[in-house]
Amino acid sequence: MLLQRVITALVLLALLLPALFYPAPEPLCLLAIVAIAAATWEWGRMNGMAQPKSVALAMAMVFACLLSWIMGLLTAHTPTLWTIAGAAWVLVGGWLLRNGARGWANIDKIVRGIVGFAALWLAWLAICQARVIGTNFLLSVLLLVWVADIGAYFAGRAFGTKFFKNKLAPAISPGKSWEGVCGGMLGVLVLAGVWVWADHAWASPVASLYTRLAQHSGILLVVAVLFMAAMSVVGDLVESLIKRSAGVKDSSGLLPGHGGVLDRVDALLPTLPLAMMLVSIVG
C-alpha cells in the first residue's frame, strides 16, 4: 500500500511540477481541466448518478472550462464572482456542517449536481486565474492548504483530545480534533511569515498572496490566513459528509493508494476562490 501511494505521488508530481513551472499558464490550465473533469465524474457517482450521467456531467465540465477559456475569463477581472463564491462557501459550508450527512441526502439530486458542478468549475477558474497572476502567487495558496493539512495531522497525532474535550466533528470525520486545527493554523502563520520575508529578500517579481495581504495590513494577513486555513478544514469536512452520505470511503479509486481526485482537492475547493476574493479586495 505504501509503495502504491509513493508511486502515485511521484507520477502526480511528474505531471504537476512541469506544468506549474512552465513559463505560460496553458499547460497547468489543461491539466486542471482533466483533474476537475475527473472530480466531476466522482461527484456524480457519489450523488446517485448512473455511470452515463456521471460521464456526461464530466464532459459538460470540460465544455464549460473550455468555453470559459475562449471567453477570456482566465484573464478577466472578476471580483464580484469571487465575492459571491466566497460568501457562498461560508454560508453553504456552515449549513452543511450543521445539518450533516442526513441534511445533504435530503437535498434534491439535481440541486446537488448543480452545487458540485459550480464549486468545481469555480475551483478550476480560480487555479487558472491564480496561475495567470504568477507561479509564486498560486504556490502560496496551494502550500497554505498543504501545510494546514500536514500541521493538523501531526498536531492531532501528538496532542489529540489533550487540550479539548470534544472532537472537531465526530459525526462526520471522527479522526479530526481541535488540536489538529490549531496545529494547522500555527503552521500556516509560520508559512505566511516566512513567505513574506522570502518575497522581500529575493525581490520576487510576482508577490505571493501573503505579501499582498501584508502590504495592505499585518492584521489582515493574520486574519485572512487563519480564515483560509479554517475554510480548508470546511472543504475537507464537506467532502467527508458527502462520502458518509453516499456510504463510501473514497470518492473513487482513480489514484491508487490515495483514493479519488476529490479526496486530494477537497480543501482547495473553498480556498482557491477565497484567495481570488482576497486578492481582488486588496489589489
Side-chain angles (χ1 to χ4, degrees):
M1 185 66 170
L2 178 59
L3 178 61
Q4 197 176 50
R5 288 178 64 88
V6 171
I7 292 173
T8 301
L10 290 175
V11 171
L12 292 175
L13 286 174
L15 293 171
L16 176 63
L17 293 180
L20 182 61
F21 289 101
Y22 190 77
E26 286 81 3
L28 182 67
C29 295
L30 287 171
L31 183 62
I33 288 178
V34 175
I36 289 298
T40 305
W41 170 74
E42 293 173 347
W43 184 275
R45 291 175 70 251
M46 287 198 302
N47 286 282
M49 290 186 181
Q51 179 75 340
K53 290 184 178 181
S54 296
V55 172
L57 191 67
M59 291 300 100
M61 178 60 75
V62 172
F63 176 78
C65 293
L66 292 176
L67 181 62
S68 302
W69 198 333
I70 293 169
M71 292 173 61
L73 288 183
L74 272 62
T75 55
H77 183 57
T78 53
T80 302
L81 174 65
W82 298 126
T83 301
I84 294 172
W89 259 109
V90 172
L91 296 174
V92 176
W95 183 89
L96 288 173
L97 295 184
R98 180 177 180 181
N99 289 273
R102 287 187 178 182
W104 178 254
N106 291 331
I107 300 174
D108 185 81
K109 287 183 181 180
I110 295 177
V111 175
R112 281 185 271 163
I114 293 172
V115 168
F117 192 93
L120 290 164
W121 174 76
L122 285 167
W124 172 80
L125 183 60
I127 199 171
C128 292
Q129 286 196 2
R131 178 58 188 85
V132 168
I133 293 173
T135 300
N136 187 45
F137 176 79
L138 175 57
L139 266 178
S140 67
V141 181
L142 298 179
L143 263 293
L144 182 146
V145 172
W146 296 336
V147 167
D149 186 52
I150 293 169
Y153 174 79
F154 284 106
R157 289 288 298 270
F159 306 109
T161 67
K162 186 174 182 180
F163 301 107
F164 295 89
K165 181 179 179 181
N166 299 321
K167 288 277 191 175
L168 176 62
I172 298 173
S173 185
K176 288 183 172 55
S177 65
W178 285 105
E179 287 83 354
V181 172
C182 293
M185 288 186 169
L186 178 61
V188 298
L189 285 174
V190 173
L191 174 72
V194 171
W195 213 305
V196 170
W197 170 84
D199 277 351
H200 178 72
W202 296 335
S204 176
V206 177
S208 66
L209 172 66
Y210 313 120
T211 296
R212 292 165 189 264
L213 293 170
Q215 288 172 344
H216 188 78
S217 166
I219 295 175
L220 176 63
L221 171 65
V222 172
V223 173
V225 165
L226 292 178
F227 172 62
M228 288 186 65
M231 289 305 298
S232 75
V233 176
V234 171
D236 190 303
L237 289 175
V238 166
E239 200 235 354
S240 293
L241 77 83
I242 293 170
K243 289 191 294 186
R244 186 169 291 274
S245 176
V248 297
K249 180 182 178 183
D250 299 317
S251 58
S252 78
L254 287 177
L255 304 177
H258 291 266
V261 177
L262 271 173
D263 296 322
R264 302 277 64 84
V265 304
D266 50 8
L268 287 169
L269 297 183
T271 50
L272 284 166
L274 285 168
M276 295 309 301
M277 181 190 76
L278 288 169
V279 78
S280 297
I281 292 172
V282 301

